[in-house]
Amino acid sequence: MNSETKLRKAEIDDRDIIWGIIRQSIERRRQDGSTQWQNGYPNIGTVESDIAKGFGYVLTADDEIAVYVALILNDEPAYSTIEGAWLSDGEFVVVHRVAVDEKFAGKGMVKKLFDHIEDFTRSHEIQSIKVDTNYDNLAMLKILESKGYSYCGEVLLAGGMRKAYEKIII
């Protein structure tokens, strides 16, 4: 897929499209037998809060929303306690709530998303990107490995242990 992709801040007008994409992702995780996102989180209120706080971003492909993500700067309380060790202790971008529209699934959009997140991080002169995922989210684990993220240990988030990764950008 050679679509032109852009990362932009989500707007309140994007809410229903984003929520639809997240609902698709929740269902895919359920069908895969995962416990991730099966307890009422994330929900429409999460999307509204992300947008209101300026955390919500969308990756567009030819101006159509393909992927949703929350990008949070230097603020994930759960990351202060890790069974293991982060690579750095400087400023960081936290990646949360990655959700792909099913019509873009399997087309490399999340890899493109991470390329854009790295550009975003570099342009803001932020040292690294930190991300966590469920043990059974094999697609995300493969993407993180392919994009050069280092496994740092485990963090307790949303009532469960998550695998934690970091990539130094600058």
Side-chain angles (χ1 to χ4, degrees):
M1 173 173 270
N2 290 325
S3 303
E4 181 184 3
T5 58
K6 292 180 184 164
L7 184 68
R8 67 164 172 83
K9 275 201 174 190
E11 300 164 6
I12 197 64
D13 290 349
D14 300 325
R15 181 192 64 186
D16 293 339
I17 295 168
I18 293 166
W19 176 232
I21 291 170
I22 290 176
R23 283 199 327 260
Q24 293 170 7
S25 295
I26 290 168
E27 179 59 17
R28 273 198 305 277
R29 301 298 296 136
R30 187 189 68 75
Q31 288 176 2
D32 290 345
S34 176
T35 58
Q36 188 175 14
W37 290 7
Q38 301 304 306
N39 63 356
Y41 164 89
N43 54 51
I44 189 77
T46 310
V47 173
E48 292 169 345
S49 175
D50 283 350
I51 293 170
K53 292 176 180 174
F55 298 160
Y57 284 81
V58 291
L59 181 74
T60 60
D62 296 330
D63 297 322
E64 186 176 359
I65 295 174
V67 185
Y68 176 73
V69 64
L71 299 179
I72 304 165
L73 303 182
N74 299 316
D75 187 24
E76 177 45 78
Y79 286 5
S80 63
T81 305
I82 183 171
E83 289 182 20
W86 294 111
L87 301 177
S88 70
D89 58 7
E91 290 194 324
F92 58 94
V93 173
V94 178
V95 178
H96 277 324
R97 297 183 276 290
V98 175
V100 183
D101 187 303
E102 59 194 16
K103 75 173 148 191
F104 292 99
K107 297 187 173 166
M109 286 298 182
V110 175
K111 286 184 179 180
K112 287 182 181 183
L113 171 72
F114 274 91
D115 290 342
H116 283 282
I117 294 170
E118 289 179 23
D119 291 344
F120 170 90
T121 303
R122 232 178 258 103
S123 73
H124 287 82
E125 298 180 352
I126 296 170
Q127 184 177 18
S128 73
I129 300 169
K130 294 180 181 180
V131 59
D132 67 86
T133 193
N134 220 48
Y135 283 87
D136 59 10
N137 192 338
L138 300 180
M140 182 60 78
L141 292 169
K142 277 178 69 174
I143 288 166
L144 293 172
E145 184 177 308
S146 77
K147 299 304 286 178
Y149 284 73
S150 298
Y151 174 70
C152 295
E154 299 176 356
V155 292
L156 180 63
L157 204 74
M161 293 306 282
R162 303 275 193 261
K163 294 182 93 166
Y165 291 82
E166 183 174 13
K167 183 173 182 177
I168 303 295
I169 300 300
I170 59 170

